[in-house]
Amino acid sequence: MDDNAPNQSTLDPTLSTAALAALESAINAALKYDPGTRSALAKLAGQILAVESTQPPFTIYLQATKTENQSLRVFADPDQQCSPTTHLSGPFLAIAALALKDSSTLANSGVTVMGSTALLSDMQTLLKQMDIDWEDALNQLMGDLLGHSLANRIRSLAGWAQHRILSGQRLVSEYLTEELKSLPAKPELESFYQEVDELRMSVDRLEQRIARIIKT
Amino acid sequence: MTEKKTTHFGYEEVAVDEKAGRVADVFHSVAAKYDLMNDLMSAGVHRLWKRFTIEVSGVRAGDKVLDIAGGTGDLSFKFSRIVGENGLVVLADINESMLKVGRDRLLDRGAAGNVVVSQADAQFLPYADNTFDCITIAFGLRNVTDKDLALRSMLRVLKPGGRLLVLEFSKPKSSLLGKVYDTYSFKLLPFMGKVITDDADSYRYLAESIRMHPDQQTLKNMMDEAGFGETKFYNMTGGIVALHKGIKP
């Protein structure tokens, strides 16, 4: 961007465009082997979700399309000419957390939404359930026989890894809370948070009372 | 005795009526390997420059787009996907060889129905007034003999509110980058042209014509003078390339 338009980002457009192109390419490569999500996205064709990160400041746009090699267009719109169906804004971490967590409520998330919340909910569901058919991808690359046996191998490895991670997490958590007693258990922690909340509200009330007394 | 009007062809001074023919020869020579050379010369970055142009264009479904000097049809293909079946993309180029390559590539990639191919001179565009929502000219304006005439012609065929986008090589912002870039364009570029297309002269012309092209501010002023409003430019890759934008009032 040049100094003839001082309000815009100072990042060279070549770099920001490269980042968006890479993101778009990764998403569409994943969708190539996920016909379910692709056809669901095609039903949303033309609708645009604007994602505005306030910290760090940048905005990207996601548009569902129904062309053969592209299901989702990711772009920047430097001159803000497009009219998004839904505009999501908030700190980047809050938006990322919203995209990853199961709940779709925006309460206390630090994220605000303008426009249609239906598109937001649809996009959130679709991106979360993106089911990539690795076996089909491998079959196309290596032929059915090799692809299938490699996919089976990957599946069993992935299952084993997931099991180890989950049981590992459980064991570490039990060891820290029950054996070392270095961390509180979850119910204790929740009860502590509850007490902190009550204390905060009591302090607020007290502050109001003192302010009223000082006035009178 | 009347003095013959001249213009530049790279660093050479040639008669005005000679330039179009000389430029045509260059592009007839490089047409078949134009995309390969673009990828090699820019290490693939020309795709990012064109992608950014599409983002700034604000083209949407149903729009009419004119892609002047569209060559091998990179931008036209992308636009044909965005404008959809109710829109129209006109791929125009003065050079028959480039146009043939572009037309074949568009058909091979499945772009049909909303794309037409048209051999046209940017200085005398053969379209009705107020026809297009957006006009792009990517790496083409520096080859046009009378750039002011071409800009006025583009203004005429744009609809009021329509956008002109000029993507063109420009002047690097840093002098160090400028020196590296000079060495690259005058030493390495003709060598690559020689190896790949067996035509070092055409690529020497490309490097020279880039240096003779107006810099960012001069081109912006030329667009203002032609009658465009809200003109501005984006420097890309340190100013090696600039994207100028103007709106028909």
Side-chain angles (χ1 to χ4, degrees):
Chain A
M1 169 55 59
D2 198 75
D3 48 6
N4 71 109
N7 294 328
Q8 302 280 331
S9 151
T10 49
L11 185 67
D12 192 306
T14 313
L15 298 176
S16 52
T17 307
L20 291 182
L23 177 64
E24 183 185 272
S25 167
I27 293 174
N28 283 296
L31 288 170
K32 192 175 173 191
Y33 299 106
D34 184 0
T37 307
R38 218 169 50 227
S39 72
L41 272 171
K43 287 182 191 144
L44 304 173
Q47 298 191 58
I48 299 172
L49 171 66
V51 180
E52 181 189 357
S53 161
T54 48
Q55 191 61 40
F58 68 88
T59 306
I60 63 170
Y61 297 79
L62 306 174
Q63 182 179 25
T65 59
K66 51 178 176 183
T67 55
E68 64 275 26
N69 291 321
Q70 191 188 54
S71 303
L72 197 69
R73 186 178 163 219
V74 182
F75 60 104
D77 193 21
D79 290 349
Q80 297 176 342
Q81 297 166 104
C82 76
S83 321
T85 318
T86 307
H87 189 120
L88 194 67
S89 72
F92 177 71
L93 286 177
I95 293 172
L98 183 73
L100 293 174
K101 71 179 187 182
D102 284 334
S103 156
S104 57
T105 176
L106 292 172
N108 299 324
S109 65
V111 175
T112 54
V113 66
M114 283 186 291
S116 157
T117 50
L119 175 65
L120 177 64
S121 153
D122 286 346
M123 283 274 199
Q124 193 188 16
T125 310
L126 287 175
L127 292 176
K128 222 178 285 171
Q129 76 182 19
M130 224 160 44
D131 173 22
I132 301 166
D133 189 347
W134 294 110
E135 186 165 342
D136 190 24
L138 289 169
N139 285 347
Q140 289 201 17
L141 275 174
M142 316 168 76
D144 286 351
L145 193 65
L146 270 177
H148 180 67
S149 69
L150 189 60
N152 274 343
R153 203 70 203 126
I154 292 171
R155 250 195 302 272
S156 69
L157 266 175
W160 178 84
Q162 195 173 21
H163 177 72
R164 299 310 302 166
I165 289 165
L166 284 177
S167 63
Q169 276 176 349
R170 202 190 63 236
L171 284 174
V172 169
S173 143
E174 278 176 8
Y175 179 73
L176 289 171
T177 51
E178 303 301 331
E179 301 296 329
L180 282 185
K181 304 277 182 203
S182 62
L183 288 179
K186 200 176 172 194
E188 287 176 59
L189 206 60
E190 280 168 359
S191 157
F192 174 71
Y193 285 150
Q194 182 79 29
E195 284 168 14
V196 170
D197 268 356
E198 280 167 14
L199 180 65
R200 185 176 51 78
M201 284 190 287
S202 301
V203 170
D204 284 350
R205 279 195 293 270
L206 185 62
E207 194 183 346
Q208 290 300 318
R209 274 187 205 155
I210 292 170
R212 209 165 50 201
I213 290 166
I214 291 171
K215 262 190 196 170
T216 55
Chain B
M1 190 180 127
T2 56
E3 201 175 311
K4 208 171 182 185
K5 271 192 171 179
T6 61
T7 184
H8 51 80
F9 173 78
Y11 287 166
E12 258 182 81
E13 279 289 313
V14 297
V16 164
D17 51 7
E18 211 182 291
K19 176 164 173 170
R22 298 278 300 269
V23 171
D25 289 343
V26 168
F27 283 92
H28 283 310
S29 162
V30 300
K33 290 184 177 166
Y34 187 72
D35 278 346
L36 174 67
M37 273 306 287
N38 277 347
D39 274 334
L40 284 174
M41 285 182 334
S42 68
V45 179
H46 75 102
R47 292 168 195 276
L48 297 174
W49 297 331
K50 287 172 183 167
R51 188 188 165 101
F52 184 69
T53 305
I54 288 169
E55 291 186 359
V56 174
S57 74
V59 166
R60 58 187 78 187
D63 278 359
K64 282 185 183 169
V65 181
L66 172 62
D67 177 17
I68 302 176
T72 50
D74 280 357
L75 284 175
S76 288
F77 176 74
K78 294 272 169 57
F79 280 132
S80 77
R81 292 299 183 250
I82 297 172
V83 301
E85 55 196 19
N86 296 322
L88 176 73
V89 179
V90 178
L91 167 63
D93 204 299
I94 193 170
N95 191 283
E96 190 193 355
S97 301
M98 295 292 287
L99 214 47
K100 274 184 183 161
V101 175
R103 184 192 58 196
D104 291 350
R105 284 199 55 203
L106 285 173
L107 284 173
D108 289 348
R109 296 168 84 184
N114 62 356
V115 184
V116 294
V117 173
S118 161
Q119 190 170 6
D121 184 340
Q123 301 166 110
F124 311 100
L125 292 169
Y127 315 109
D129 296 3
N130 310 320
T131 302
F132 297 99
D133 298 283
C134 180
I135 296 179
T136 56
I137 176 163
F139 306 114
L141 190 63
R142 73 177 188 282
N143 298 315
V144 175
T145 307
D146 187 338
K147 294 172 186 63
D148 295 309
L149 183 62
L151 288 172
R152 287 197 299 274
S153 177
M154 293 174 208
L155 184 75
R156 181 184 64 77
V157 300
L158 264 181
K159 288 178 185 171
R163 290 87 63 201
L164 167 67
L165 294 161
V166 182
L167 179 65
E168 192 53 270
F169 289 104
S170 207
K171 195 170 178 220
K173 286 192 289 184
S174 121
S175 57
L176 180 65
L177 178 63
K179 277 178 191 153
V180 174
Y181 180 51
D182 274 352
T183 312
Y184 169 76
S185 343
F186 289 107
K187 301 268 165 65
L188 198 57
L189 195 60
F191 173 72
M192 285 162 74
K194 172 79 184 154
V195 172
I196 292 161
T197 63
D198 194 24
D199 182 6
D201 288 345
S202 292
Y203 285 92
R204 186 168 300 111
Y205 160 73
L206 291 183
E208 289 177 5
S209 64
I210 290 165
R211 299 309 185 283
M212 298 304 289
H213 188 68
D215 67 10
Q216 287 89 332
Q217 191 57 47
T218 312
L219 180 56
K220 182 181 181 293
N221 295 345
M222 284 165 69
M223 288 172 70
D224 287 334
E225 277 163 31
F228 287 95
E230 297 179 42
T231 55
K232 61 171 156 180
F233 60 86
Y234 295 85
N235 275 321
M236 288 189 270
T237 320
I240 288 178
V241 161
L243 176 67
H244 282 72
K245 180 179 179 184
I247 295 176
K248 179 170 177 174

